[in-house]
C-alpha cells in the first residue's frame, strides 16, 4: 500500500493506535536490540544483563549497564518520528501510544498517556519489596558501557534497587498490558513502527488489532513478510512518519 493510501486511512480513522519499538528511537542515537552490529543483543548477552537472576548474581555489572543506557537516553533528544507521532494527536479524534521502549522520548516529544508495556529506565524500584525509588537518580559520568556501579539500596528494606524495566521471564506490568490490548482491539488504524516483532506477548498486539478488523500498517526500513491483510511501508520512521503526516493533513 503506498503512503498516500495509508494517509487516506489516517484521515478517516477515529482511533489510531501507534505501537513503537526500538527503531523509533534509533535515529535519536539509542541503539536497537537486534540490528546487525549495532543492536544491544548483538554485543551483550541478555542472560547476563536482563534477568532477575543475572541481577542478583552480578548487581554492579547490571546496574552499571542500565545506568549507561539511562545516561545515553538523557543525552538523546526526540527525533522527527517522535515529533510526528505527537503531532498526530492534533489531527485524529483519538490517539493511543503503546511503546516497548524504556526511554522517555515520546513524552519529551509531547505525547501524553504513553503506555510503557516494557517499563521504563526512569522508574527504578526495590527488587525485594517493589517500593518505587523516590529520589532522583544521580547523574553519572558514564562514558563507556562496561562500567560497574554499586546499586542503590531501598530506604524501606535495604534491598537492591533495580531498573523499572521488564526482564526476560517476567510478566508485563498488568495495567499497561491490559491498556495496550484494549488500544489494539479498539482502534481502526494500528501503526506498528520500528519493531522486529520478535518479543511476545508484545508482538501479539498487531495480531489482536488485525483480528478485530483494524487496518494494520508496519513501518520499518528492513523489509519483512506481512500477511495479505496487513500493509508495509519501507523506510526509516522519521521519513515515513513525516510523509504520512504531510500526505494526510498537509
Ligand atoms: P529490535 O531491536 O528487536 O528491532 C528493532 C527494529 O527497528 C528492527 O526491525 C529494525 O529494522 C527497525 N529499525 C531500525 N532502524 C529504524 C528506523 N530508523 N526506523 C524504523 N525502524 C527501524 O527492537 P524491538 O522490536 O523494540 O525488551 O525489541 C522488542 C523488545 O526486545 C524490546 O522492548 C526489549 C528487547 O529485548 C525489553 O526491554 C523487555
Amino acid at each position: 500500500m503506498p503512503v498516500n493510501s495509508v494517509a487516506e486511512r489516517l484521515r478517516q480513522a477515529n482511533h489510531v493506535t501507534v505501537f513503537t519499538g526500538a527503531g523509533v528511537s534509533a535515529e535519536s542515537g539509542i541503539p536497537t536490540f537486534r540490528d546487525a552490529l549495532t543492536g544491544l543483543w548483538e554485543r551483550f548477552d541478555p542472560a547476563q544483563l536482563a534477568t532477575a537472576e543475572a541481577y542478583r548474581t552480578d548487581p554492579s555489572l547490571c546496574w552499571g549497564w542500565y545506568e549507561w543506557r539511562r545516561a545515553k537516553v538523557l543525552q538523546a533528544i526526540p527525533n522527527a518520528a517522535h515529533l510526528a507521532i505527537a503531532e498526530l494527536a492534533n489531527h485524529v479524534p483519538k490517539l493511543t501510544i503503546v511503546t516497548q521502549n524504556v526511554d522517555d522520548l515520546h513524552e519529551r516529544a509531547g505525547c501524553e498517556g504513553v503506555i510503557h508495556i516494557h517499563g521504563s529506565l526512569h522508574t527504578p524500584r526495590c527488587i525485594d519489596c517493589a517500593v518505587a525509588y523516590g529520589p532522583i537518580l544521580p547523574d553519572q559520568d558514564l562514558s563507556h558501557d562496561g562500567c560497574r556501579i554499586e546499586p542503590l539500596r531501598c530506604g524501606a528494606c535495604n534491598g537492591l534497587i533495580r531498573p523499572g524495566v521488564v526482564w526476560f521471564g517476567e510478566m508485563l506490568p498488568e495495567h499497561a498490558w491490559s491498556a495496550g490490548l484494549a488500544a489494539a482491539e479498539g482502534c481502526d488504524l494500528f501503526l506498528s513502527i520500528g519493531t522486529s516483532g520478535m518479543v511476545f506477548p508484545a508482538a501479539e498486539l498487531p495480531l489482536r488489532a488485525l483480528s478485530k478488523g483494524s487496518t494494520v500498517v508496519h513501518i520499518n526500513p528492513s523489509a519483512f513478510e506481512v500477511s495479505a491483510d496487513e500493509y508495509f511501508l519501507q523506510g526509516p520512521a522519521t521519513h515515513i512518519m513525516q510523509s504520512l503526516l504531510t500526505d494526510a493533513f498537509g
Side-chain angles (χ1 to χ4, degrees):
M1 189 186 243
V3 171
N4 56 5
S5 311
V6 178
E8 185 56 35
R9 299 281 172 110
L10 189 53
R11 246 193 316 272
Q12 291 163 0
N14 284 313
H15 180 186
V16 177
T17 292
V18 173
F19 174 55
T20 61
V24 167
S25 295
E27 291 167 88
S28 291
I30 311 285
T32 63
F33 293 93
R34 295 176 182 81
D35 277 279
L37 303 177
T38 57
L40 290 173
W41 296 152
E42 297 289 318
R43 297 155 58 212
F44 301 99
D45 179 3
Q48 276 191 326
L49 295 163
T51 68
E53 194 190 5
Y55 199 69
R56 289 190 188 277
T57 305
D58 198 341
S60 65
L61 177 79
C62 291
W63 183 248
W65 190 72
Y66 285 98
E67 283 295 89
W68 165 70
R69 285 180 57 198
R70 192 174 64 86
K72 273 188 94 64
V73 167
L74 292 177
Q75 286 157 10
I77 54 170
N79 64 46
H82 297 108
L83 296 173
I85 293 165
E87 173 68 19
L88 266 182
N90 298 325
H91 298 286
V92 300
K94 183 172 178 188
L95 174 70
T96 311
I97 297 156
V98 184
T99 190
Q100 298 167 86
N101 297 343
V102 294
D103 62 48
D104 59 353
L105 294 177
H106 284 304
E107 284 86 349
R108 281 198 269 142
C111 298
E112 288 177 6
V114 180
I115 299 167
H116 283 269
I117 58 173
H118 286 168
S120 163
L121 287 168
H122 306 284
T123 55
R125 65 175 191 271
C126 176
I127 197 168
D128 291 325
C129 73
V131 163
Y133 183 74
I136 292 172
L137 290 173
D139 277 346
Q140 318 253 17
D141 179 18
L142 298 174
S143 47
H144 67 93
D145 48 26
C147 275
R148 284 179 170 275
I149 300 176
E150 222 35 63
L152 300 157
R153 292 277 174 176
C154 171
C157 77
N158 203 39
L160 295 170
I161 295 301
R162 59 162 283 176
V165 303
V166 175
W167 281 328
F168 289 102
E170 292 185 323
M171 303 286 282
L172 304 193
E174 207 177 306
H175 181 71
W177 178 240
S178 49
L181 271 180
E185 294 183 343
C187 68
D188 43 7
L189 178 62
F190 185 95
L191 302 177
S192 176
I193 315 174
T195 178
S196 61
M198 289 176 65
V199 173
F200 283 82
E204 256 181 52
L205 293 181
L207 304 173
R208 293 293 190 106
L210 200 61
S211 74
K212 297 287 177 185
S214 165
T215 300
V216 173
V217 181
H218 298 270
I219 296 170
N220 203 300
S222 306
F224 53 78
E225 290 276 314
V226 296
S227 75
D229 303 330
E230 296 169 280
Y231 301 98
F232 185 82
L233 296 178
Q234 188 167 11
T238 49
H239 173 73
I240 300 284
M241 287 309 294
Q242 282 178 309
S243 310
L244 206 48
L245 245 86
T246 308
D247 282 11
F249 308 111

